[in-house]
Amino acid sequence: MSGKPVDKLFGRVKRVDWKRLGNSLWEKLKSFCIRAGRTAAKPLLTLYYLLMTPGTTPKDKVLIYGSLIYIILPRDLVPRKVLGMIGVFDDAAILAFVLRKVKENIT
């Protein structure tokens, strides 16, 4: 595998204040979930609460945080305004991928 070693990066990730990041994310996520509705909000809230759980590994927290940020940001790789429903599938694919990756931590 080519590229830079990730050991230093994972060292920094372990020192991240996830509680502070999660609290700032909460306000954005809360308003997004209200607009999105109950069905769409459940997996997002599951990931958020998993992010805030102390036993979640730093690797899983990075996946969760990245996916939540991607979903609530107004810009997408596949824009909804241009492609309609196809633009929703990229968000759903991200959610499904991350939920599958971290499912052993969900109780």
Side-chain angles (χ1 to χ4, degrees):
M1 180 153 61
S2 65
K4 296 180 180 180
V6 295
D7 295 337
K8 288 183 182 180
L9 177 63
F10 277 121
R12 283 189 275 166
V13 167
K14 288 180 183 177
R15 292 188 301 269
V16 169
D17 184 0
W18 291 105
K19 185 171 180 138
R20 183 182 57 78
L21 282 177
N23 288 338
S24 65
L25 176 66
W26 174 248
E27 290 306 315
K28 294 177 184 84
L29 187 61
K30 184 170 58 171
S31 64
F32 182 84
C33 286
I34 290 169
R35 288 191 319 267
R38 181 186 215 164
T39 304
K42 184 177 178 182
L44 295 173
L45 294 174
T46 299
L47 288 176
Y48 174 77
Y49 288 116
L50 192 56
L51 174 71
M52 300 307 289
T53 302
T56 305
T57 66
K59 178 183 166 190
D60 288 345
K61 287 186 178 193
V62 169
L63 276 172
I64 293 167
Y65 193 77
S67 68
L68 291 175
I69 290 296
Y70 178 78
I71 289 167
I72 64 175
L73 282 178
R75 299 220 173 215
D76 274 337
L77 290 175
V78 182
R80 287 181 203 107
K81 289 183 180 179
V82 176
L83 299 172
M85 282 306 291
I86 295 172
V88 175
F89 291 130
D90 69 323
D91 291 347
I94 297 270
L95 267 177
F97 173 77
V98 173
L99 282 168
R100 193 174 73 238
K101 285 288 192 184
V102 299
K103 68 180 176 187
E104 66 271 358
N105 294 330
I106 299 173
T107 57

